[in-house]
Amino acid sequence: MAEVDLNYASVVFKNKHPAPEAKKEEETVYDEVKVQNETTEQTADTNAGLLPDKKTIGRLRHYQRLACCLGILCVILLLGIIAVCVFFVLSQDGDGGQLVKELKQNQTTLLTAIYDLKKVRDKLSSDIEILKRNNDSLNLQLGNLILNFTVSEIKVANLTAQNQQLRNNFTEQITNMETNWINLNVSRAQWSVDAYCPDVNKETQCRPCQNGWELNEASCYAYNNPDLAKRKTWEEAREDCRGKGSDLAVAHNQQQKDAISGYSKGSNGYWIGLRVEDGRWKWIDGSELADNSWIGDPTVGHCAISFQSKGWESVSCGEKQQWICQKSAFSV
């Protein structure tokens, strides 16, 4: 494209017939008149008839702008065609096609990851809502617990006061019981003195056994032989002896056995403090029978009765029999 030289000149039009009142010549100046001239020397006489008018100058400018726009569009179109060709080539063969595939795969992976993240986000939102509800429920429970704890503290305080009152009452009862026990011991001591040391003919005579009890060595024996209707089982007989401050008779040696048998009067047997426990003959004091030849083999649910002539026999503890009580003699 040839270079165009733009020359700008000032054109002056002179009025040959000025108005009478004007003393100066009018001048009209036109700027920026485009002329195409390869020479730099212009004179007023040679170029006066070759200068273009305003309309021609505007058309020249319009064509110039249109040519520039068309050139720019051609360049843009050429670049687009080149880019499409490059993309097509890269997408069909070689590393470019593989790159496009990888990009597509990465795009799919990213879309899948985005979908998974959305699901995770939705799940987290749901969990947050559940946690909020659980938090509200826990706050309510905490409030109830605090209320219950306050009520419990009040109850504990009341129970502490009641406990203190009970302790005071219990201490008072213990004191009263101790006093009563002392009085009872004094009464029992006095009763023992009265029972073992009766006043006979205004003279106090102390004996090792009470009236109705037989002395043998260091023990006193009471032989209870009521009528048939008033006889007792082994347990009932033992309760009767305990009520008298004694227990059923016990023999740990031959002399004690002979003493028990000697006082077993009559043809009926007498309960003694021997029964079967854990498959063995045992006395009521927890000791075992010293000589198994004194009675037959142990039978569950059996107790021993004593005869004066037949020795000892094993019978059911539920039978009604007479009984012998034993207690320590009073030491004068």
Side-chain angles (χ1 to χ4, degrees):
M1 182 179 295
E3 294 182 356
V4 178
D5 295 333
L6 298 180
N7 296 319
Y8 299 92
S10 298
V11 180
V12 179
F13 295 92
K14 297 182 178 180
N15 192 355
K16 295 181 179 181
H17 303 282
E21 62 275 9
K23 296 181 179 179
K24 295 182 179 181
E25 296 179 351
E26 296 179 352
E27 294 179 359
T28 303
V29 181
Y30 293 90
D31 295 332
E32 298 180 358
V33 177
K34 181 179 180 182
V35 292
Q36 183 176 359
N37 193 352
E38 295 180 357
T39 62
T40 58
E41 297 180 358
Q42 295 181 356
T43 62
D45 294 332
T46 58
N47 293 333
L50 298 177
L51 292 176
D53 58 6
K54 292 178 62 177
K55 187 174 182 179
T56 303
I57 294 172
R59 287 178 181 177
L60 291 175
R61 290 181 179 177
H62 175 72
Y63 292 149
Q64 185 181 13
R65 292 173 183 173
L66 182 60
C68 291
C69 291
L70 289 175
I72 293 172
L73 289 175
C74 291
V75 173
I76 293 174
L77 181 60
L78 180 61
L79 292 176
I81 293 172
I82 294 172
V84 170
C85 293
V86 171
F87 177 79
F88 179 76
V89 172
L90 292 177
S91 63
Q92 293 297 323
D93 300 321
D95 295 338
Q98 183 66 27
L99 179 61
V100 171
K101 291 180 181 180
E102 291 179 357
L103 290 175
K104 289 182 178 179
Q105 292 177 355
N106 292 337
Q107 181 183 16
T108 304
T109 304
L110 288 174
L111 292 175
T112 304
I114 291 172
Y115 178 74
D116 293 338
L117 288 175
K118 287 183 179 179
K119 292 195 296 183
V120 172
R121 182 196 62 185
D122 296 338
K123 182 65 169 57
L124 288 176
S125 299
S126 177
D127 293 342
I128 290 172
E129 291 297 328
I130 294 174
L131 289 174
K132 286 181 179 179
R133 290 196 296 269
N134 292 338
N135 183 56
D136 295 338
S137 178
L138 289 175
N139 288 332
L140 180 60
Q141 293 178 7
L142 178 61
N144 293 332
L145 288 175
I146 293 174
L147 179 60
N148 293 333
F149 179 75
T150 304
V151 173
S152 298
E153 284 185 333
I154 296 174
K155 290 182 179 180
V156 168
N158 293 335
L159 289 174
T160 303
Q162 294 177 5
N163 181 48
Q164 185 62 38
Q165 183 64 35
L166 289 174
R167 291 181 64 181
N168 295 336
N169 295 338
F170 184 69
T171 302
E172 183 179 357
Q173 291 179 3
I174 290 177
T175 303
N176 294 334
M177 289 178 64
E178 289 178 348
T179 303
N180 294 334
W181 178 254
I182 293 173
N183 294 333
L184 179 61
N185 287 336
V186 172
S187 299
R188 290 183 63 184
Q190 185 62 44
W191 174 82
S192 298
V193 171
D194 294 341
Y196 289 93
C197 302
D199 189 1
V200 180
N201 297 325
K202 297 182 180 181
E203 293 182 3
T204 301
Q205 298 179 356
C206 295
R207 296 173 296 182
C209 297
Q210 299 171 247
N211 290 333
W213 293 75
E214 299 288 342
L215 176 64
N216 189 292
E217 293 185 351
S219 299
C220 298
Y221 298 89
Y223 297 87
N224 300 275
N225 53 354
D227 296 336
L228 182 62
K230 295 182 180 180
R231 293 177 183 177
K232 302 179 181 296
T233 63
W234 190 88
E235 289 290 347
E236 293 172 345
R238 189 179 184 188
E239 289 298 324
D240 179 78
C241 291
R242 286 178 173 178
K244 298 174 181 178
S246 61
D247 211 332
L248 290 174
V250 176
H252 292 297
N253 53 52
Q254 188 64 42
Q255 292 178 347
Q256 293 175 346
K257 178 180 180 299
D258 294 339
I260 292 174
S261 299
Y263 289 103
S264 301
K265 301 176 182 179
S267 59
N268 298 314
Y270 288 78
W271 290 122
I272 60 176
L274 184 66
R275 64 177 174 180
V276 177
E277 291 183 7
D278 300 328
R280 298 182 180 180
W281 285 107
K282 289 186 179 181
W283 295 103
I284 54 177
D285 60 5
S287 61
E288 295 186 8
L289 182 64
D291 191 346
N292 292 327
S293 63
W294 290 356
I295 195 171
D297 294 334
T299 302
V300 177
H302 276 212
C303 297
I305 57 175
S306 174
F307 292 92
Q308 189 174 27
S309 57
K310 297 188 297 183
W312 295 350
E313 290 185 3
S314 174
V315 298
S316 174
C317 298
E319 293 187 9
K320 300 283 186 176
Q321 299 290 342
Q322 303 169 115
W323 64 97
I324 302 175
C325 297
Q326 178 186 1
K327 65 180 177 179
S328 300
F330 182 73
S331 178
V332 181

